[in-house]
């Protein structure tokens, strides 16, 4: 595998393992302005957001096994009570479908993991930006500055045209897990749902992927994402690190990091189909 640029570092794979059991019961910095994949419709209106416990139990058995330890911990009930309580108070909480990334990409389909922080907390002329995928925005919403820098890097390293929209469903459907480490946020209040239990949940997901599979590519942009490197066992995966694509830091090494080309090189070396990073012209 080709060596990485200064902004990235990598680790290599070993044997994968199987999936676990079902749940026992049913129940970045923010900014504004193969197995066949399951088709997932656009996110439901905010008023139809399901109780959080119901969203947890709607996950596939494969994802449920990855967070079973979290669900059996006291943090799970506290998180559900907090998020549902915020909605019950009349607060606007984004996104309506918090697990859309996990619906579009099953664990056995994951090839690349891109970590974000928490969902976009704003809207674009009344249309919420967040729709459950890190860095992605709903169809019809203008791409935010960090996503524009991601597009610039892909254009510079792979020569692909810069899309006019910001919906990254096409990546997710190929095995790119676009995972925020906090999966909900109050409108207009960045990081408002941090430190209420989401971090334990997503840490469990990341650790599950890292321990049960091999040859994955983890893109860790910025200090927040790079703190998750401790969850990644050595000698199993490719780890690419760079500054966050925010306009405040992209010029410090994100632009020019070549992560998208390096990810495809690593996937090819591992015998996996590379990602088509070119988005469709319309969604």
């Amino acid at each position: 595998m080709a060596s990485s640029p200064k902004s990235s570092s990598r680790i290599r794979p070993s044997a994968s393992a199987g999936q676990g059991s079902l749940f026992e019961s049913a129940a970045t910095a923010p900014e504004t302005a193969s197995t066949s994949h399951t088709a997932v419709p656009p996110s439901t209106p905010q008023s139809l957001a399901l109780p959080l416990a119901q969203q947890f139990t709607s996950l596939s058995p494969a994802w449920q096994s990855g967070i079973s330890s979290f669900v059996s911990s006291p943090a799970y009930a506290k998180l559900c009570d907090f998020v549902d309580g915020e909605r019950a108070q009349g607060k606007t909480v984004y996104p309506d479908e918090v697990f859309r990334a996990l619906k579009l990409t099953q664990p056995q389909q994951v090839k690349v993991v891109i970590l974000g922080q928490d969902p976009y907390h704003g809207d674009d002329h009344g249309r919420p930006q967040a729709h459950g995928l890190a860095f992605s925005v709903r169809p019809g919403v203008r791409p935010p500055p960090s996503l524009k820098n991601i597009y610039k890097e892909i254009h510079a390293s792979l020569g692909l045209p810069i899309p006019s929209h910001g919906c990254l469903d096409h990546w997710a459907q190929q095995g790119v897990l676009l995972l925020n480490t906090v999966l909900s946020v109050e409108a207009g209040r960045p990081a408002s749902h941090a430190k209420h239990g989401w971090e334990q949940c997503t840490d469990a997901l990341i650790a599950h992927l890292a321990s049960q599979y091999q040859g994955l590519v983890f893109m860790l942009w910025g200090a927040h994402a790079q703190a998750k490197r401790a969850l990644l066992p050595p000698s199993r995966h490719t780890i690419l690190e760079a500054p966050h694509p925010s306009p405040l830091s992209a010029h410090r090494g994100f632009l020019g990091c070549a992560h998208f080309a390096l990810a495809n090189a690593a996937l090819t070396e591992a015998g996996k189909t590379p990602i088509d990073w070119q988005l469709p012209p319309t969604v």
Side-chain angles (χ1 to χ4, degrees):
M1 192 180 303
S3 60
S4 320
K6 290 182 180 178
S7 61
S8 58
S9 59
R10 34 216 354 204
I11 304 181
R12 292 207 105 123
S14 108
S16 64
Q19 307 286 320
S21 62
L22 287 163
F23 286 167
E24 294 188 357
S25 62
T28 132
E31 52 192 313
T32 56
S34 183
T35 303
S36 62
H37 295 268
T38 304
V40 176
S43 299
T44 54
Q46 177 72 32
S47 61
L48 298 182
L50 296 173
L52 188 56
Q54 193 171 340
Q55 295 199 49
F56 268 99
T57 55
S58 72
L59 291 171
S60 69
W63 278 126
Q64 288 182 10
S65 74
I67 53 175
S68 58
S69 61
F70 170 74
V71 171
S72 63
S73 73
Y76 169 71
K78 291 179 181 178
L79 174 63
C80 291
D81 288 346
F82 170 73
V83 174
D84 293 344
E86 293 290 281
R87 294 189 194 276
Q89 292 177 43
K91 297 178 181 179
T92 299
V93 175
Y94 298 140
D96 41 26
E97 190 178 3
V98 297
F99 293 124
R100 193 159 188 269
L102 306 186
K103 298 292 185 68
L104 281 171
T105 312
Q106 293 301 309
Q108 67 272 19
Q109 297 165 337
V110 173
K111 298 177 181 177
V112 177
V113 180
I114 299 179
L115 293 182
Q117 295 187 18
D118 62 346
Y120 295 119
H121 59 86
D123 65 83
D124 182 13
H125 295 89
R127 294 176 59 87
Q129 295 174 299
H131 70 144
L133 303 179
F135 295 103
S136 181
V137 292
R138 296 168 182 257
V141 173
R142 293 173 295 177
S146 288
L147 183 54
K148 288 182 179 179
N149 282 332
I150 290 171
Y151 288 166
K152 287 178 184 177
E153 174 54 31
I154 292 173
H155 174 71
S157 61
L158 297 175
L160 300 179
I162 293 178
S164 59
H165 64 84
C167 180
L168 305 181
D169 282 10
H170 178 63
W171 294 359
Q173 290 161 350
Q174 297 178 77
V176 180
L177 181 63
L178 297 157
L179 183 67
N180 283 314
T181 56
V182 172
L183 298 183
S184 62
V185 69
E186 182 183 344
R189 294 189 60 212
S192 52
H193 287 199
K195 299 182 180 179
H196 285 282
W198 278 127
E199 294 87 348
Q200 294 96 309
C201 175
T202 53
D203 279 2
L205 287 171
I206 295 165
H208 176 74
L209 288 172
S211 64
Q212 297 300 306
Y213 299 94
Q214 64 175 15
L216 305 182
V217 178
F218 288 85
M219 295 188 186
L220 309 180
W221 300 333
H224 181 88
Q226 288 160 13
K228 304 301 180 182
R229 183 166 185 167
L231 300 170
L232 308 178
S235 305
R236 293 181 67 90
H237 306 290
T238 296
I239 301 174
L240 304 177
E241 296 182 281
H244 193 275
S246 161
L248 297 176
S249 55
H251 65 282
R252 298 174 188 161
F254 176 80
L255 296 174
C257 69
H259 279 188
F260 301 93
L262 288 169
N264 277 354
L267 292 174
T268 299
E269 185 172 308
K272 301 180 181 183
T273 304
I275 303 299
D276 175 14
W277 296 108
Q278 182 168 354
L279 296 173
T282 59
V283 289

